[in-house]
Amino acid sequence: MEKIIDGKVIAAKIREEIAAGVAVLKAKGVTPGLAVVLVGDDPASQVYVSMKEKACAAAGIFSDEHKLPKETTEAQLLALVDELNRDERIDGILVQLPLPKQIDEGKVLEAISPKKDVDGFHPYNVGRLVTGNPLFQPCTPYGIMKMIEHTGIDLTGKEVVVVGRSNIVGKPVALMCLAQHATVTLCHSRTRDLAAQVAKADVLIAAVGRAEMIKGSWIKPGAVVIDVGVNRVGDKKLVGDVEFDAALERAGAITPVPGGVGPMTITMLLYNTLESAKRRVKG
Ligand code: NDP
């Protein structure tokens, strides 16, 4: 097992496979299409949206960009989603979160057709994940699973400890590990003795958002450590939720921050869009 799990390298390999899959569909006259909807002018969201567009272009995926003003009403956004649901060129619809406060996020996510819900946030897709029959799996946890797969570790019977229980990372990744027959512990802010929980992990997944809160000395020797956290310290430096240098000494393999989970998220968005387009071809 390589000690550093390099998200950039794994993502590049998957993106090559995606580009090849897109080329196969194009030869059959079908271009996968992703609609990206951005409401307002949140700077971080603008960066994410432009990264998604570039990634689509590189993979040969048609990206249909919709930038709406921050005053957009819920009804206007729902009307656009409805139009995209019916647009045959579109295989995936992504509404960039967060949305301005006059718009009910839950309502918008539920309005997206579950068959185009490449973010995997629609309750239908959440339900399918829970019942072990997923259609679209959310991108960050799906990317984490691809990284774990890359290490070659078989999760059957392993102790997986997930720290953080958000709907976008912690909860879905716990379900995905459960589906692969791991024994899963889901920790959160009320967990007692986090150090003791972390110490039993064969695979640790940290998704908290607190700089280096998980100490290297807590890590079980040989464990696989996936650090989802992205925390800015000082002006420029980004660090994860795990104390990297100390954890590196004990872990069997570990993801860096940046360059770990980050590059996988957009990759899995492209992957889901391609899968959706393949289903369109099959009918
Ligand atoms: P949320 O803020 O939604 O969830 C954080 C979770 O951490 C909560 O469940 C919270 O518990 C838990 N938590 C907070 N404090 C503690 C503590 N002291 N001990 C144990 N658990 C604690 O975050 P997200 O899941 O959205 O994101 C987590 C991190 O991952 C962030 O740094 C984010 O930037 C990053 N991220 C990175 C992505 C990527 O592509 N690389 C994508 C998505 C997220 P409780 O529920 O009890 O409040």
Side-chain angles (χ1 to χ4, degrees):
M1 200 188 310
E2 287 156 25
K3 186 122 192 188
I4 301 287
I5 308 170
D6 190 330
K8 280 188 262 175
V9 170
I10 302 169
K13 188 167 164 275
I14 299 176
R15 286 189 198 198
E16 267 175 34
E17 289 163 12
I18 294 168
V22 170
V24 169
L25 283 189
K26 280 188 169 167
K28 294 179 185 165
V30 173
T31 300
L34 175 68
V36 180
V37 181
L38 174 63
V39 186
D41 42 24
D42 176 64
S45 294
Q46 283 174 339
V47 172
Y48 294 141
V49 164
S50 85
M51 281 164 69
K52 285 166 188 172
E53 283 156 4
K54 276 189 201 133
C56 277
I61 293 173
F62 160 59
S63 88
D64 181 26
E65 178 197 311
H66 296 264
K67 288 193 174 153
L68 307 180
K70 60 178 183 299
E71 307 75 39
T72 302
T73 64
E74 187 177 282
Q76 285 167 329
L77 181 55
L78 289 172
L80 173 61
V81 168
D82 185 46
E83 192 186 301
L84 296 169
N85 280 341
R86 283 182 282 117
D87 188 335
E88 287 179 357
R89 299 167 308 156
I90 300 299
D91 298 291
I93 301 171
L94 179 143
V95 177
Q96 184 66 45
L97 301 180
L99 290 169
K101 53 183 178 315
Q102 73 274 17
I103 301 176
D104 179 343
E105 253 171 42
K107 229 178 180 176
V108 173
L109 295 181
E110 282 193 39
I112 295 171
S113 163
K115 290 182 179 162
K116 297 190 177 186
D117 172 39
V118 283
D119 254 343
F121 294 156
H122 191 288
Y124 173 85
N125 281 312
V126 176
R128 287 201 47 167
L129 179 63
V130 174
T131 51
N133 178 30
L135 181 67
F136 288 113
Q137 307 196 60
C139 300
T140 300
Y142 203 2
I144 293 169
M145 298 314 287
K146 291 280 176 194
M147 298 182 102
I148 293 174
E149 186 185 312
H150 185 84
T151 66
I153 190 175
D154 176 2
L155 290 182
T156 306
K158 295 286 191 313
E159 294 283 347
V160 172
V161 175
V162 180
V163 190
R165 57 172 163 181
S166 71
N167 289 331
I168 62 166
V169 190
K171 264 186 228 166
V173 86
L175 288 163
M176 291 175 194
C177 292
L178 190 62
Q180 294 194 16
H181 314 298
T183 302
V184 181
T185 304
L186 194 43
C187 302
H188 47 79
S189 65
R190 320 289 163 86
T191 296
R192 273 184 265 159
D193 201 352
L194 185 63
Q197 297 293 342
V198 168
K200 68 181 189 190
D202 299 309
V203 176
L204 172 71
I205 301 170
V208 181
R210 285 170 162 244
E212 299 183 323
M213 69 160 289
I214 294 173
K215 303 301 165 202
S217 59
W218 300 356
I219 309 284
K220 181 174 173 177
V224 170
V225 178
I226 309 286
D227 191 351
V228 190
V230 181
N231 310 288
R232 194 168 289 282
V233 288
D235 269 357
K236 289 217 174 82
K237 199 174 172 220
L238 287 182
V239 299
D241 291 340
V242 179
E243 203 184 29
F244 183 83
D245 291 341
L248 184 63
E249 284 175 24
R250 294 171 71 92
I254 184 168
T255 59
V257 177
V261 177
M264 298 298 290
T265 298
I266 293 182
T267 303
M268 299 319 291
L269 176 70
L270 304 178
Y271 184 95
N272 280 346
T273 305
L274 172 61
E275 289 302 301
S276 183
K278 283 183 188 166
R279 285 185 210 123
R280 163 153 68 108
V281 173
K282 278 197 203 134

